[in-house]
Amino acid sequence: MRTNYCGELNKDNIDQTVEICGWVNRRRDHGGVIFLDIRDKRGIAQVVINPDNADFAIAETIRNEFVLKITGTVIARGEGLANPKLASGDIEIVASHIEILNTSKPVPFQIDATDTSEEVRLKYRYLDLRNDAMQKRMRLRSKVTHFMREFMDSHDFLDIETPFLTKATPEGARDYLVPSRTHPGEFFALPQSPQLFKQLLMMSGFERYYQIVKCFRDEDLRADRQPEFTQLDVETSFMNEDEIMKMMEELTRGMFKDAIDVDLGDEFPSITYADAMHLYGVDRPDMRIPMQMTDMDELMQGVDFKVFSGPASSDGSRVAALRVPGGASISRKKIDKYTKYVSIYGAKGLAYIKLNEDGPASPILKFLGDDVTAKVIEMTGAQTGDIIFFGADKTKIVNEALGNLREQLAKDMDLFDKPWAPIWVVDFPMFDENDDGSLSAIHHPFTAPNVDAKTLEETAPTALSRAYDLVINGSEVGGGSIRIHQVEMQQTVLKLLGISDEEAKDKFGFLLDALEYGCPPHGGMAFGLDRLVMIMTGSDSIRDVIAFPKTQTAACLLTDAPAEVPRKVLRELSVQVSLAKKD
């Protein structure tokens, strides 16, 4: 139907007769001459319809988002009329024939508007996706997945599909369940990841597997999470963590260079989980921010200020300081805002010291004294014009509060010292100890520890795993580990997690059986595709890089899902719905 794409027309096409197809981006009527901006997937071209055109009457009926086919002659724009913002900005098309392929109702928002609410954008997603920014994001996403496939294929990985209807297994979030009609009262679960199936593929002798796959988690949502998400899933046999990380690093470097022409450097640095938490408060540190937390426990143990001395002297608590360069300019109103911000993470307050031209200033100076204040300034390296924020509470609260405050301050004050900062986080704990003394897996129950089974039983709360996460600009974009490949070790881990032999057989019997038939050492990794593309495009939300996303309440405004189903269907599935009556 077309001879050319709109965005590809240029001076080389002058005097040519062309046929273009697309949507009316804008219509302008200038003293009897009608101008149409026609948009297709390659860009925009300006079309001129003169009053002597036989189809001028048709042109007068055209509105935004009509779908047209235009035949016309390419000419150069008049002097001073070129549009440098358009690839086709040096030319325009004088129409000789107009064909309306389809009309459009008045649209609820202008396609290229930047102030449309997300609720409206998601309800009319098919219109929102016509926006140039969304088109570019989706094209970049396709480019990323294309590179991933080419890379994996070139490294002898096989693309193998795993089931969507499977059995519920504990992986840290609630499952989406699917009732079975043929097995009344029983349910499939949608996979949170293909974890066990890809391990079974290693046991099957394929050695190298990958898949770009949908996963499902019924969890509370944030800007960087969705109930259904896509990941590049990778598993390989006979490789240790260093070899896997090296290969995945090569993939990441190549992908960034190919997709957005960004050079991430020759070798990614690494940091232990313990150091990341101690220095940055989070296990996904943003290394673009030149600020670290400084431990103040020893210094604060002897002060009369119980807000500091109490946590400084207590196991499981800490006092830490965060120096913010240039932060003395932060107003009291903003400090109050940051105090409210850290309360989200359980902090009861936000103490500070400002280093003004005339010396330190703070409501807490009278409690610390001159000597301790001077020592704080020395330990943090603070200078005139800086501010020092403090956290004093349970270690988890201090880390989360100051760690997230560090990132928020960097955004508000533009404290980033580089555009890109990848880093590996390694040496994660094997387990997290709950308040009741029980253990839960930091990653998942199939991650291998870095000790043997006997030592693991003796040192479980402090044992480390062979897990690794890739963090870029403060976002975890991928995570993996070496897996357990011996049945004795897997049984030990399940036992430490409080899973009885009977429960283990019920939930993981097929895996435990498979481990006894010559399972090779293996490990792998999964990249969050949505989050990767979000970072690459500079988007604020993964909803902006997914064609048809859900809201933060896991609803689809476009299709009105989830929705009720007829009782007849529920009866066929042996499902009965009982809801509490609304007031």
Side-chain angles (χ1 to χ4, degrees):
M1 294 180 69
R2 56 157 67 102
T3 61
N4 300 82
Y5 285 102
C6 296
E8 293 179 346
L9 293 170
N10 54 48
K11 290 181 177 180
D12 294 338
N13 301 106
I14 289 175
D15 294 332
Q16 292 180 8
T17 298
V18 298
E19 294 179 329
I20 61 171
C21 296
W23 289 262
V24 177
N25 196 61
R26 287 189 184 275
R27 177 189 183 278
R28 305 182 301 282
D29 193 332
H30 289 181
V33 177
I34 296 174
F35 292 86
L36 301 176
D37 289 341
I38 304 299
R39 182 188 71 245
D40 63 18
K41 70 174 186 176
R42 299 285 169 80
I44 290 175
Q46 179 172 282
V47 175
V48 182
I49 303 104
N50 292 312
D52 58 358
N53 189 305
D55 292 333
F56 190 81
I58 295 176
E60 289 185 308
T61 69
I62 291 171
R63 297 293 181 266
N64 287 2
E65 299 309 311
F66 274 35
V67 185
L68 307 180
K69 178 180 178 181
I70 302 244
T71 303
T73 303
V74 178
I75 66 170
R77 293 203 192 192
E79 187 174 349
L81 299 178
N83 185 350
K85 294 181 180 179
L86 296 180
S88 64
D90 291 323
I91 60 91
E92 59 190 9
I93 302 169
V94 178
S96 58
H97 179 64
I98 302 170
E99 181 181 352
I100 297 178
L101 301 177
N102 212 337
T103 60
S104 172
K105 293 167 57 178
V107 292
F109 59 92
Q110 182 59 37
I111 298 301
D112 56 5
T114 58
D115 58 351
T116 307
S117 71
E118 186 179 53
E119 183 176 355
V120 173
R121 289 175 55 210
L122 293 181
K123 180 175 177 61
Y124 298 95
R125 189 61 162 184
Y126 45 87
L127 296 179
D128 186 46
L129 287 171
R130 296 179 189 176
N131 181 287
D132 184 58
M134 291 300 299
Q135 291 270 321
K136 287 178 178 177
R137 289 169 188 152
M138 299 315 297
R139 283 196 289 271
L140 179 66
R141 183 183 176 111
S142 178
K143 193 171 184 179
V144 168
T145 57
H146 178 73
F147 182 89
M148 286 176 168
R149 292 188 187 281
E150 282 200 329
F151 182 92
M152 301 312 295
D153 291 343
S154 68
H155 286 73
D156 200 29
F157 283 79
L158 288 177
D159 183 358
I160 303 176
E161 295 177 347
T162 53
F164 275 5
L165 296 177
T166 183
K167 190 173 186 177
T169 56
E171 291 199 39
R174 290 180 292 272
D175 289 307
Y176 277 101
L177 300 177
V178 179
S180 170
R181 180 183 59 82
T182 54
H183 299 273
E186 298 183 348
F187 295 81
F188 294 106
L190 299 180
Q192 295 185 33
S193 81
Q195 183 60 46
L196 296 184
F197 287 105
K198 66 180 180 179
Q199 289 189 241
L200 292 171
L201 288 170
M202 296 303 99
M203 301 171 200
S204 304
F206 288 103
E207 295 197 20
R208 292 192 175 190
Y209 140 95
Y210 85 95
Q211 186 182 187
I212 296 177
V213 62
K214 280 279 190 183
C215 301
F216 308 85
R217 293 183 184 177
D218 185 7
E219 58 185 349
D220 296 330
L221 306 180
R222 300 198 299 263
D224 61 347
R225 296 204 177 167
Q226 281 279 288
E228 54 177 322
F229 56 95
T230 306
Q231 66 184 38
L232 169 65
D233 204 50
V234 180
E235 199 78 5
T236 181
S237 298
F238 305 114
M239 292 179 73
N240 60 33
E241 48 266 64
D242 291 335
E243 292 168 324
I244 294 173
M245 289 164 65
K246 183 179 179 181
M247 181 181 289
M248 295 301 100
E249 190 173 311
E250 181 185 350
L251 164 68
T252 306
R253 273 198 303 270
M255 178 170 52
F256 270 72
K257 186 66 177 175
D258 180 76
I260 58 174
D261 196 25
V262 165
D263 187 354
L264 291 179
D266 294 333
E267 186 174 350
F268 298 172
S270 65
I271 188 173
T272 65
Y273 170 88
D275 284 346
M277 298 302 293
H278 187 73
L279 295 174
Y280 306 109
V282 294
D283 60 1
R284 38 153 196 82
D286 191 336
M287 304 306 290
R288 299 173 299 165
I289 306 170
M291 292 190 289
Q292 295 182 349
M293 293 158 56
T294 303
D295 197 82
M296 294 281 154
D297 285 347
E298 186 174 348
L299 178 64
M300 297 298 176
Q301 285 176 1
V303 300
D304 292 332
F305 192 33
K306 289 186 178 180
V307 172
F308 282 2
S309 61
S313 305
S314 302
D315 291 338
S317 299
R318 74 178 297 199
V319 180
L322 179 69
R323 171 210 166 199
V324 183
S329 62
I330 299 174
S331 67
R332 182 54 198 254
K333 184 178 180 180
K334 281 192 174 181
I335 290 176
D336 290 342
K337 185 188 78 169
Y338 290 131
T339 302
K340 185 176 181 180
Y341 175 75
V342 297
S343 70
I344 297 172
Y345 304 98
K348 301 178 183 68
L350 185 61
Y352 65 90
I353 298 175
K354 280 188 176 184
L355 274 67
N356 298 323
E357 291 289 345
D358 55 355
S362 169
I364 67 170
L365 291 183
K366 59 185 177 182
F367 301 111
L368 299 182
D370 293 342
D371 291 343
V372 171
T373 300
K375 191 66 176 175
V376 168
I377 295 171
E378 177 188 342
M379 291 174 66
T380 59
Q383 301 174 2
T384 299
D386 296 347
I387 191 172
I388 304 168
F389 286 113
F390 295 88
D393 211 309
K394 296 291 185 184
T395 299
K396 182 179 180 182
I397 292 175
V398 172
N399 287 347
E400 290 188 352
L402 286 189
N404 285 281
L405 176 63
R406 171 179 175 268
E407 296 177 356
Q408 189 60 50
L409 286 163
K411 292 176 184 176
D412 293 346
M413 300 176 64
D414 192 21
L415 296 176
F416 304 105
D417 65 0
K418 57 180 75 72
W420 298 97
I423 190 168
W424 288 103
V425 181
V426 298
D427 292 343
F428 281 85
M430 184 71 182
F431 302 108
D432 192 15
E433 191 166 9
N434 302 314
D435 293 338
D436 60 2
S438 63
L439 301 176
S440 55
I442 290 285
H443 277 77
H444 52 62
F446 320 109
T447 298
N450 66 354
V451 294
D452 58 45
K454 184 175 184 300
T455 305
L456 181 64
E457 286 191 279
E458 296 170 350
T459 62
T462 59
L464 301 180
S465 69
R466 298 176 68 183
Y468 37 85
D469 282 357
L470 179 58
V471 176
I472 299 179
N473 292 2
S475 289
E476 178 207 330
V477 298
S481 68
I482 299 300
R483 323 301 187 188
I484 296 169
H485 72 283
Q486 295 171 324
V487 68
E488 296 82 8
M489 177 64 80
Q490 187 64 77
Q491 289 171 330
T492 299
V493 169
L494 294 177
K495 177 182 175 183
L496 289 168
L497 291 172
I499 298 174
S500 67
D501 291 343
E502 183 178 350
E503 185 181 0
K505 183 175 178 59
D506 176 56
K507 290 183 175 178
F508 309 111
F510 62 96
L511 174 69
L512 296 172
D513 287 344
L515 287 171
E516 295 190 279
Y517 287 94
C519 176
H522 61 282
M525 189 164 175
F527 285 88
L529 177 61
D530 311 304
R531 197 174 296 176
L532 261 175
V533 179
M534 179 184 77
I535 293 171
M536 287 174 149
T537 58
S539 303
D540 295 325
S541 166
I542 61 172
R543 292 188 292 277
D544 285 337
V545 297
I546 298 172
F548 301 103
K550 304 292 187 293
T551 65
Q552 288 196 15
T553 59
C556 176
L557 299 181
L558 174 65
T559 63
D560 231 5
E564 295 181 358
V565 297
R567 291 184 178 274
K568 177 183 177 183
V569 175
L570 293 177
R571 284 196 298 270
E572 290 176 346
L573 295 171
S574 302
V575 172
Q576 183 175 349
V577 177
S578 178
L579 298 176
K581 291 184 178 179
K582 295 181 181 180
D583 295 333

